[in-house]
């Protein structure tokens, strides 16, 4: 799946595909992430070509936090869904809040 940020519309991250690429080169890219199935792994990659527009991911349920932010090209986050929550298990340059 590929998402291109338009600055205002929140895009739904597909929970079926294992990887989603988000391009926030031109504008911020707010995204939502629905609950998955136990054991499901999801990786989100900031594929922007420049700039520092935020990709703010708001999962329905994120253990211990409410959002994940990728704010530079090349940043990634990988999560696993377990016990009714997305759990961050890896990535590069992401921030949780």
């Amino acid at each position: 799946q590929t998402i291109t940020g338009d600055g205002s519309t929140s895009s739904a991250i597909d929970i079926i595909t294992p990887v989603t690429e988000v391009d926030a080169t031109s504008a911020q890219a707010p995204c939502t992430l629905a609950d998955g199935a136990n054991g499901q792994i999801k990786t989100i990659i900031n594929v922007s070509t420049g700039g520092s527009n935020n990709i703010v991911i708001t999962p329905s349920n994120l253990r211990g936090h409410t959002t994940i932010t990728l704010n530079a090209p090349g940043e990634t986050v990988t999560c696993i869904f377990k016990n009714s929550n997305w759990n961050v298990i890896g990535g590069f340059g992401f921030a949780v809040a």
Side-chain angles (χ1 to χ4, degrees), residues 11-28:
S11 300
I13 293 173
D14 181 0
I15 61 168
I16 303 301
T17 58
V19 176
T20 294
E21 296 179 329
V22 183
D23 185 343
T25 299
S26 299
Q28 294 194 33

Side-chain angles (χ1 to χ4, degrees), residues 54-97:
N54 288 341
I55 298 167
V56 178
I57 305 155
T58 305
S60 296
N61 292 289
L62 178 62
R63 187 171 312 280
H65 303 281
T66 55
T67 61
I68 302 165
T69 301
L70 308 175
N71 65 4
E75 292 185 346
T76 65
V77 67
T78 299
C79 301
I80 187 169
F81 193 81
K82 186 68 176 162
N83 298 327
S84 302
N85 284 280
W86 285 106
N87 299 271
V88 175
I89 58 171
F92 169 76
F94 64 90
V96 292

Side-chain angles (χ1 to χ4, degrees), residues 14-53:
D14 181 0
I15 61 168
I16 303 301
T17 58
V19 176
T20 294
E21 296 179 329
V22 183
D23 185 343
T25 299
S26 299
Q28 294 194 33
C31 297
T32 59
L33 180 60
D35 288 348
N38 273 337
Q40 183 175 358
I41 295 176
K42 181 70 186 185
T43 298
I44 300 134
I45 304 169
N46 182 337
V47 296
S48 302
T49 57
S52 60
N53 291 315

